[in-house]
Amino acid sequence: MRKDLITDAAIELVAELGMRGLTHRAVDRKAGLPEGSTSAYFRTRRALIEGLVDRLAAQEQAEIFLDPHDPAGGLAKTLDNWLVERNRTLARYAAMLEATHHPELKSILVHSPRRRATDMARALGHEDPERAGAHISAFLEGLIFYRLVGGGSTTGPTPGTEESVRDLKKAIEKALRP
């Protein structure tokens, strides 16, 4: 589907160049499409960013691995995959940062895994699942960021390895305790 080709190219551009590199013309070139193709599907830069975020959210939601018998293990596999898919994760963070400077883009922040984290907190018996879900979500975002671009990117296990999943699971188990 051409829309997916365009948004995938936009994701790659943002991961490589940041949000400043995201233009309709650059996406056309990256996707190998005739000039004007991207603007035919996404008339404005805002629409292009929203399309990019919708694509990221759909891909991430499809990859969430929830294991009711091993919640920390399932989340560890999910986060490890998002670390392996480094460009997508970098693009998501770039879009989140863009939204902090442009209030009209705040709608892109609704793609948070907080609702699922709240459901998980409820299932784990947390006294206040809403607050616990917010804390779990914040912890997971911080853990991904740390392992992707922070100190953990140089000292943590290589994403995509069993060692990486084990390391993430240990950290997540601590965060999930009621």
Side-chain angles (χ1 to χ4, degrees):
M1 174 181 220
R2 186 163 280 206
K3 217 172 188 179
D4 291 345
L5 176 67
I6 290 169
T7 51
D8 288 345
I11 289 166
E12 290 299 318
L13 271 172
V14 170
E16 292 169 14
L17 305 172
M19 291 303 281
R20 289 185 181 190
L22 184 67
T23 66
H24 287 78
R25 188 172 296 176
V27 173
D28 287 340
R29 282 192 302 268
K30 184 77 168 172
L33 296 171
E35 192 171 307
S37 297
T38 297
S39 60
Y41 286 89
F42 302 99
R43 297 295 306 153
T44 64
R45 187 168 191 272
R46 176 182 174 176
L48 180 57
I49 292 170
E50 289 173 348
L52 172 153
V53 171
D54 287 344
R55 178 78 169 147
L56 286 170
Q59 290 172 330
E60 288 183 350
Q61 288 296 316
E63 295 169 352
I64 293 176
F65 181 74
L66 296 178
D67 183 344
H69 304 292
D70 183 12
L75 285 172
K77 289 176 185 173
T78 300
L79 296 190
D80 186 66
N81 186 59
W82 291 349
L83 291 169
V84 168
E85 295 295 334
R86 177 181 173 80
N87 282 353
R88 285 195 341 227
T89 306
L90 287 171
R92 182 167 60 89
Y93 281 124
M96 291 168 74
L97 287 171
E98 181 82 356
T100 66
H101 301 292
H102 299 280
E104 71 276 11
L105 296 175
K106 290 285 186 188
S107 65
I108 70 172
L109 300 177
V110 301
H111 297 295
S112 165
R114 185 171 174 180
R115 184 181 52 219
R116 286 191 174 201
T118 299
D119 293 343
M120 181 177 289
R122 187 173 289 109
L124 291 170
H126 282 268
E127 191 174 291
D128 183 350
E130 290 291 327
R131 182 171 300 277
H135 291 165
I136 291 167
S137 184
F139 171 79
L140 296 175
E141 287 288 354
L143 183 58
I144 294 169
F145 191 83
Y146 174 75
R147 289 279 307 273
L148 186 68
V149 297
S153 66
T154 60
T155 61
T158 303
T161 64
E162 282 300 315
E163 182 184 7
S164 176
V165 174
R166 277 193 307 273
D167 183 65
L168 290 165
K169 182 178 176 181
K170 282 183 186 178
I172 293 167
E173 284 173 337
K174 293 173 185 172
L176 292 182
R177 289 187 189 128

